[in-house]
Amino acid sequence: MQHNIFTTMRSLKFPEGCKGTQVYAINPTGGEGGGGGGCGGKVGEKFLQHLQDLRVNSIRTKSNRNSHPPTNQTSRTNVSVESLLPAGFPTVDLMEPQIESCLKSVDFVESLAAVYKKVESSSQFEKSERFLEQCAVFKGLCDPKLVRSSLRSARQHAVDVHSKVVLASWLRFERREDELIGLSAMDCCGRNLECPRACLVPGYDPESANDPCVCSRGELEVLMGDGGECSTSDIDEVHGGGGGDGDDDDDCDMSFCIGDDEIRCVRCNVASLSRPFRAMLYGEFKESRREKINFSQNGISAEGMRAAMIFSRTKKLGSFELKIVLELLSLANRFFCEELKSACDAHLASLVCDLEEAMMLIEYGLEEDAYLLVAACLQVILRELPFSMHNPYVMKLFCGSEGRERLASVGHASFLLYYFLSQIAMEEEIKSNNTVMLLERLGECATEDWQKQLAYHQLGVVMLERTEYKDAQKWFEEAVEAGHVYSSVGVARAKYNRGHKYSAYKMMNSLISDHTPVGWMYQERSLYCTGKEKLMDLNTATELDPTLSFPYKCRAVLLVQENKLESAISELNKIIGFKVSPDCLELRAWISIVLEDYEGALRDVRALLTLDPNYMMFYGKKHGDQLVELLRPLVQQYSQADCWMQLYDRWSSVDDIGSLAVVHQMLANDSRKSLLWFRQSLLLLR
């Protein structure tokens, strides 16, 4: 194997890099008409006979190194055709290439150049959005390094708090597997671009990326306007313990009465809180001529009013209880006290540290239009993804139209937010209702053409996965109308699945004639034709884009149907030689089992499980771990020392797949060896 085969394995961190096309197959027991071609006869009988021999001779000869007891070996080699190949032999009729869920242009270089031009010509306040568009384009390359680079640039040039919070959370999510175990969602790790405190400071400062983090709450409150701590006597005064250390009773010229409590204050200080207070105390209202004003019907307690009077004098509220600050926030909204509201907003935002606090305080923030408080709560929720998605309240807030409107009312509903959320939802469970609703909200927030293309195309992909072909066709058509040519593939696929094969074929013909031919166009058209025409389209697709794996797989299965198994393996080796994906390893393992090359099959399955531990093989009928257990008794057993020798040999010969398989086996025997994990990481990086 060539030593550059793991170039594309950098994409394995996110799901689209691991989601290969599952090879669909019919059951070999379906008779000669099952579409198995030449496989259904000679090869099938030979394989079946071999398994029958295994039943008779169930105890195999073992080497001295084998540690498994013979009684176990007898039971485990009693293997049936259905257990090893539950989906029978591979057939080309049920194979489909996966439609990518990202933006995909006819001319990638031209698209990238256009985005670069937008970045260069945009103002400093628009650069963040342009870098986000660049990120969406880079996703089509399945290269996470380029995606993260664009996200970092978008965060670096972000101006508003909302964008900073979402982008920083997205960056953290992208490197989630690199986090040290034990760190909480709000831990910073020294990265200023991801610092949860720095994200709550508004303003454009692209040079601050290399600055130390703003992680202390005190510094955050100073930056956002909270003047600091109140004195002990001020706190006592709030609870009715004294008159405070600022104003004597001689200076107080009026009182607010709340129930039986009388709060003495200075009229001019109260009037300075807002224009409504000034109008009430110095205008034409009757309160301007009174020394005592009844304030019982304004929804604030005596303690809250004392705190407001202290703030009017000191401009501080650093040590007030949470309940008091929430009352002050409500008072500030009712009487338009902007300075008081900003201080309360910043103070409450600095208190949000975990998901429980965020869930409690976000409701207050939404009710009181507290921008920073909602941002702080949103930040904790986003940094806890994907786990916070299992919270019903979080999903209700994000997924429903009403929740989006509530977030929009405080400036926290954006295309950026729903782009991030929908990507995680598609990764977690692409067919779920939550994924559909998040993508619908994404479409509602889309304003630019590229945003509409992305939202509608992804909705089409999800509907196609849900086998809702009529809705899938509608959304794909919307994306095409918005200018996304690649969505025509989705329209054709939806028509094909609805039984309109000729219509799908005609559509791809028109696409090829109207545009500069691209590999994926011929790949898609090959689904809708047969015989030599199909093979010609597959070959043309490979000539135009050698990185497409489907044509290799399809040709390999056609060779299997002609009973040319070795040629089928050679065909797969061409793509595996420079682009490794779980679906190609699965198909090669499948054919290796038919060839009775159980060691080769076990090698590929172990390497596959390294790339995607949850991979379901054979049309989703068998987990990879189950197949490993079935194949193990059919191959020679090795001790840990033998495995080290094998690893040395494969490492020296740059056999990366063989090395991954050996490391997978060794980790299954002893998962505590950190050196093995290190070796595995080196292989994946290579």
Side-chain angles (χ1 to χ4, degrees), residues 413-451:
S414 65
F415 179 86
L416 170 62
L417 172 65
Y418 285 100
Y419 186 17
F420 177 34
L421 292 172
S422 61
Q423 299 313 293
I424 298 176
M426 291 178 71
E427 179 179 323
E428 287 292 298
E429 180 50 66
I430 193 170
K431 298 180 182 180
S432 71
N433 292 332
N434 286 339
T435 302
V436 175
M437 289 189 286
L438 286 171
L439 286 171
E440 288 173 346
R441 306 291 84 76
L442 180 70
E444 292 169 0
C445 294
T447 54
E448 301 181 36
D449 287 342
W450 75 270
Q451 295 175 347

Side-chain angles (χ1 to χ4, degrees), residues 474-495:
K474 181 194 77 170
W475 287 115
F476 281 131
E477 287 172 345
E478 291 277 353
V480 172
E481 188 176 341
H484 193 226
V485 178
Y486 178 66
S487 294
S488 301
V489 170
V491 178
R493 192 76 63 87
K495 287 183 176 181

Side-chain angles (χ1 to χ4, degrees), residues 137-155:
V137 174
F138 277 145
K139 275 187 174 287
L141 287 179
C142 295
D143 190 333
K145 288 186 177 180
L146 292 175
V147 172
R148 286 196 291 269
S149 175
S150 295
L151 285 175
R152 279 194 297 270
S153 297
R155 166 63 186 90

Side-chain angles (χ1 to χ4, degrees), residues 14 31 38 118 304 322 440 461 470 491 609:
F14 54 95
K118 289 181 183 179
L322 175 61
E440 288 173 346
V461 170
K470 187 175 181 180
V491 178
L609 290 173

Side-chain angles (χ1 to χ4, degrees), residues 551-619:
Y552 298 93
K553 291 161 50 183
C554 197
R555 286 191 293 266
V557 174
L558 289 173
L559 289 168
V560 169
Q561 292 178 351
E562 296 173 7
N563 201 15
K564 299 177 181 178
L565 302 181
E566 295 289 352
S567 299
I569 293 285
S570 299
E571 183 65 28
L572 286 173
N573 288 342
K574 293 177 184 177
I575 181 67
I576 294 176
F578 65 91
K579 181 182 179 182
V580 175
S581 60
D583 55 306
C584 290
L585 290 174
E586 175 198 18
L587 182 55
R588 193 168 73 172
W590 199 330
I591 300 173
S592 296
I593 291 175
V594 178
L595 277 170
E596 304 176 22
D597 178 13
Y598 302 126
E599 288 205 11
L602 186 58
R603 173 204 61 207
D604 286 343
V605 175
R606 286 190 181 279
L608 183 158
L609 290 173
T610 303
L611 310 185
D612 187 353
N614 299 315
Y615 196 83
M616 298 295 294
M617 302 184 65
F618 308 142
Y619 192 19

Side-chain angles (χ1 to χ4, degrees), residues 327-593:
E327 285 191 37
L328 290 178
L329 179 61
S330 179
L331 177 74
N333 271 325
R334 184 174 287 112
F335 288 92
F336 301 94
C337 307
E338 294 301 326
E339 186 180 12
L340 177 59
K341 179 178 179 178
S342 296
C344 292
D345 198 5
H347 179 80
L348 291 169
S350 70
L351 299 179
V352 184
C353 291
D354 56 45
L355 191 59
E356 184 178 353
E357 291 175 347
M359 301 310 303
M360 177 186 70
L361 290 174
I362 195 170
E363 272 300 318
Y364 288 101
L366 292 170
E367 289 295 327
E368 300 296 343
D369 190 26
Y371 178 79
L372 277 179
L373 175 56
V374 174
C377 296
L378 194 63
Q379 178 169 244
V380 172
I381 294 171
L382 295 180
R383 291 170 75 93
E384 289 285 357
L385 289 170
F387 308 108
S388 56
M389 273 192 164
H390 302 297
N391 187 301
Y393 174 80
V394 171
M395 285 295 94
K396 181 180 178 182
L397 179 65
F398 287 146
C399 294
S401 295
E402 182 183 347
R404 187 189 71 83
E405 291 171 1
R406 294 185 72 195
L407 288 170
S409 68
V410 291
H412 285 291
S414 65
F415 179 86
L416 170 62
L417 172 65
Y418 285 100
Y419 186 17
F420 177 34
L421 292 172
S422 61
Q423 299 313 293
I424 298 176
M426 291 178 71
E427 179 179 323
E428 287 292 298
E429 180 50 66
I430 193 170
K431 298 180 182 180
S432 71
N433 292 332
N434 286 339
T435 302
V436 175
M437 289 189 286
L438 286 171
L439 286 171
E440 288 173 346
R441 306 291 84 76
L442 180 70
E444 292 169 0
C445 294
T447 54
E448 301 181 36
D449 287 342
W450 75 270
Q451 295 175 347
K452 294 176 182 178
Q453 293 171 18
L454 181 65
Y456 301 155
H457 179 73
Q458 290 189 337
L459 271 167
V461 170
V462 171
M463 291 302 177
L464 199 66
E465 288 285 335
R466 289 161 61 100
T467 67
E468 298 176 20
Y469 301 124
K470 187 175 181 180
D471 287 337
Q473 182 177 334
K474 181 194 77 170
W475 287 115
F476 281 131
E477 287 172 345
E478 291 277 353
V480 172
E481 188 176 341
H484 193 226
V485 178
Y486 178 66
S487 294
S488 301
V489 170
V491 178
R493 192 76 63 87
K495 287 183 176 181
Y496 173 65
N497 285 312
R498 295 178 69 192
H500 308 305
K501 182 176 180 179
Y502 183 63
S503 177
Y505 178 79
K506 283 175 57 180
M507 184 170 189
M508 294 312 300
N509 265 345
S510 300
L511 193 66
I512 291 172
S513 61
D514 294 343
H515 297 86
T516 303
V518 185
W520 52 261
M521 296 180 183
Y522 286 94
Q523 173 180 270
E524 187 66 23
R525 194 175 70 172
S526 71
L527 295 177
Y528 315 129
C529 52
T530 57
K532 291 184 178 180
E533 188 179 357
K534 184 184 193 75
L535 197 56
M536 287 175 59
D537 277 350
L538 290 171
N539 292 337
T540 305
T542 299
E543 289 174 11
L544 293 172
D545 187 355
T547 65
L548 294 173
S549 61
F550 175 77
Y552 298 93
K553 291 161 50 183
C554 197
R555 286 191 293 266
V557 174
L558 289 173
L559 289 168
V560 169
Q561 292 178 351
E562 296 173 7
N563 201 15
K564 299 177 181 178
L565 302 181
E566 295 289 352
S567 299
I569 293 285
S570 299
E571 183 65 28
L572 286 173
N573 288 342
K574 293 177 184 177
I575 181 67
I576 294 176
F578 65 91
K579 181 182 179 182
V580 175
S581 60
D583 55 306
C584 290
L585 290 174
E586 175 198 18
L587 182 55
R588 193 168 73 172
W590 199 330
I591 300 173
S592 296
I593 291 175

